Amino acid sequence: MRPAILVLCTGNSARSQMAEGLFRHFLGDRFEVHSAGTRPSKVRPEAIAVMAELGIDISGHWSKSVDEFVGREFAYIVTVCDNAKETCPVFHCSAQRIHWSFEDPAAVEGDEETRLSSFRRIRDQIRERVTVFAASV
């Protein structure tokens, strides 16, 4: 059985979904990867679009509640927003906790290109962190 990574955010709609896709892309052969939210909503179409630009398909992803994963064993629990870090339930496992604070691209208002630009910027920041992480494990 492969060790598991859980990526947490508030809505499980953008940052954690992009991170899940990137973790699967770089480490999916070595780790089981999941994402969830403290208040799940739905996957943002902008997240799907900017990940497709990298050749990573997250169109089949859906928002899941962190409660679905309580009691599971994880090697790493990665929070990608400050709110999730503060409200994350306690996992009674030996997981290494990692916190990466990223702005919420879904909070950016404006036309489609403005929103997509914000999602690309955050996607690239997440990709940089995941790439460094992947090289270290």
Side-chain angles (χ1 to χ4, degrees):
M1 180 180 253
R2 295 177 295 165
I5 297 171
L6 178 62
V7 185
L8 296 175
C9 199
T10 304
N12 192 220
S13 65
R15 293 166 286 188
S16 55
Q17 292 288 347
M18 291 189 291
E20 177 184 352
L22 288 160
F23 273 117
R24 284 178 189 249
H25 178 75
F26 289 108
L27 291 169
D29 60 331
R30 295 175 39 208
F31 287 86
E32 182 180 320
V33 182
H34 303 280
S35 69
T38 57
R39 291 192 316 258
S41 57
K42 65 178 189 159
V43 181
R44 294 290 301 248
E46 298 95 333
I48 294 168
V50 302
M51 292 301 289
E53 293 172 354
L54 299 180
I56 299 172
D57 182 7
I58 65 167
S59 64
H61 287 201
W62 66 95
S63 294
K64 299 162 291 297
S65 172
V66 67
D67 296 336
E68 294 179 35
F69 298 97
V70 172
R72 298 242 349 237
E73 187 67 33
F74 291 96
Y76 299 95
I77 296 176
V78 182
T79 51
V80 293
C81 74
D82 295 333
N83 185 56
K85 180 184 178 205
E86 299 304 320
T87 60
C88 179
V90 174
F91 281 83
H92 299 290
C93 63
S94 59
Q96 180 177 341
R97 290 180 174 264
I98 300 169
H99 178 63
W100 296 335
S101 183
F102 297 108
E103 294 175 33
D104 185 1
V108 172
E109 296 181 7
D111 63 18
E112 181 178 11
E113 190 50 44
T114 300
R115 292 189 319 276
L116 286 172
S117 177
S118 176
F119 274 80
R120 286 183 190 109
R121 182 174 52 81
I122 300 304
R123 174 205 63 200
D124 292 345
Q125 290 174 6
I126 295 169
R127 179 174 54 183
E128 184 177 318
R129 292 279 185 100
V130 169
T131 302
V132 169
F133 177 88
S136 73
V137 295

